Amino acid sequence: LPAIATSVALLISGCSTIDSASSSGGGGAEGTPTWSIQYQGAIQVRNKTYHVVDLYDVSDSDLSRIRAAGSRPIAYFSSQYEEWRPDASQFPGADLGNPLSGWPGERWVNTRSEVIRSIIRNRLNLAKRRGFYGVDVDNTDLYEHLTGFENSRKTAADYVRFIATEAHARGLKYSLKNSMDLIPAVKSVGDFYQNEECQQYGEADRYHGVGPVFNIEYKRPSSPYKRKGFYSLLKRKNMGAFEEEL
């Protein structure tokens, strides 16, 4: 989704989870790794374990500041087509499907296409060259949408496993964003888990046995989760600098 309000959701949802990443920088509930996420405006570097920023839009100087602060940068990008990206011309018309509802300029892609997968490999190569620690890959929940292509959970899980395996081959961590129905099939390749509005919709139990889980809430919960293995942030949908720990 566009950098402005994309599902970037990172930061945690709540649930019974297992710590699978070491904590450096600020600590979350019972030592859970902490996160900051920002796509818009001047990047504010915080004392957090990880910083999620846009793969293309973040400057080299901001990446250097993040690393100098002892934080690990995570690269956000979509697993689908966005017309403003520098590699947009590489997507064959035959591999572009229906528009993403509510997100102008974005379209679903044929995830089984070798050309599409080559583009994803190149994006992972870029993340590696720029010194990112991991990747935050959006829009893998194609099974919930009319994409214009075969869109079963099996197809979506295969795409996730492909991206995660290619990320790991480059020494990058992989974060599964939303796509909760895929967890049983892909948990062996997930390093982190992300969810938007887990607390609002009561989705914590979907993450039982995996973690760490990171979640974004856009409305302040009446009783924020305080559980081991998860870390939550209150954000605004423009994904700017505003950020509050829950």
Side-chain angles (χ1 to χ4, degrees):
L1 305 183
I4 196 158
T6 168
S7 67
V8 266
L10 262 164
L11 304 235
I12 253 150
S13 33
C15 25
S16 273
T17 61
I18 298 172
D19 288 332
S20 63
S22 62
S23 178
S24 64
E30 299 187 47
T32 302
T34 59
W35 294 68
S36 178
I37 184 167
Q38 184 181 347
Y39 298 158
Q40 301 292 314
I43 298 297
Q44 183 172 336
V45 177
R46 295 176 169 90
N47 181 29
K48 301 293 180 70
T49 315
Y50 306 112
H51 265 70
V52 182
V53 289
D54 191 273
L55 170 64
Y56 296 103
D57 294 344
V58 68
S59 67
D60 289 338
S61 61
D62 281 338
L63 281 176
S64 294
R65 289 197 303 120
I66 290 170
R67 287 190 287 265
S71 186
R72 299 163 177 167
I74 305 293
Y76 167 84
F77 65 88
S78 177
S79 65
Q80 308 299 321
Y81 170 84
E82 298 168 314
E83 65 180 12
W84 60 88
R85 296 302 190 183
D87 58 3
S89 64
Q90 299 174 21
F91 287 75
D95 287 333
L96 296 181
N98 297 329
L100 272 70
S101 179
W103 302 101
E106 302 188 40
R107 295 173 67 178
W108 297 102
V109 301
N110 177 7
T111 61
R112 294 180 291 183
S113 163
E114 182 52 38
V115 176
I116 296 299
R117 294 191 174 205
S118 178
I119 291 170
I120 295 298
R121 292 187 187 97
N122 288 337
R123 290 183 172 186
L124 294 170
N125 289 340
L126 177 61
K128 180 65 175 179
R129 287 197 304 272
R130 299 199 69 192
F132 282 97
Y133 179 76
V135 291
D136 165 25
V137 185
D138 204 359
N139 301 316
T140 56
D141 58 345
L142 54 109
Y143 57 90
E144 294 183 338
H145 304 274
L146 296 175
T147 66
F149 300 103
E150 201 283 322
N151 63 342
S152 66
R153 291 183 187 180
K154 181 178 179 180
T155 298
D158 178 72
Y159 194 41
V160 165
R161 284 192 294 266
F162 156 73
I163 299 172
T165 300
E166 292 289 339
H168 292 157
R170 291 159 176 78
L172 298 167
K173 300 295 185 181
Y174 175 78
S175 179
L176 179 70
K177 185 189 296 292
N178 298 321
S179 303
M180 293 169 288
D181 294 319
L182 301 183
I183 291 174
V186 305
K187 62 183 179 181
S188 64
V189 296
D191 299 299
F192 317 118
Y193 296 83
Q194 306 168 28
N195 182 289
E196 293 173 285
E197 301 179 291
C198 171
Q199 300 187 46
Q200 180 176 344
Y201 295 109
E203 296 170 335
D205 290 343
R206 303 292 299 277
Y207 292 92
H208 180 74
V210 299
V213 182
F214 300 89
N215 141 257
I216 281 180
E217 296 295 325
Y218 300 117
K219 296 180 180 179
R220 187 183 304 279
S222 57
S223 299
Y225 290 127
K226 298 292 183 184
R227 304 184 188 182
K228 182 178 180 179
F230 80 87
Y231 184 74
S232 295
L233 291 181
L234 180 68
K235 293 288 292 187
R236 294 177 180 139
K237 288 191 176 182
N238 66 1
M239 299 308 295
F242 172 81
E243 196 166 282
E244 183 179 325
E245 296 182 9
L246 293 173

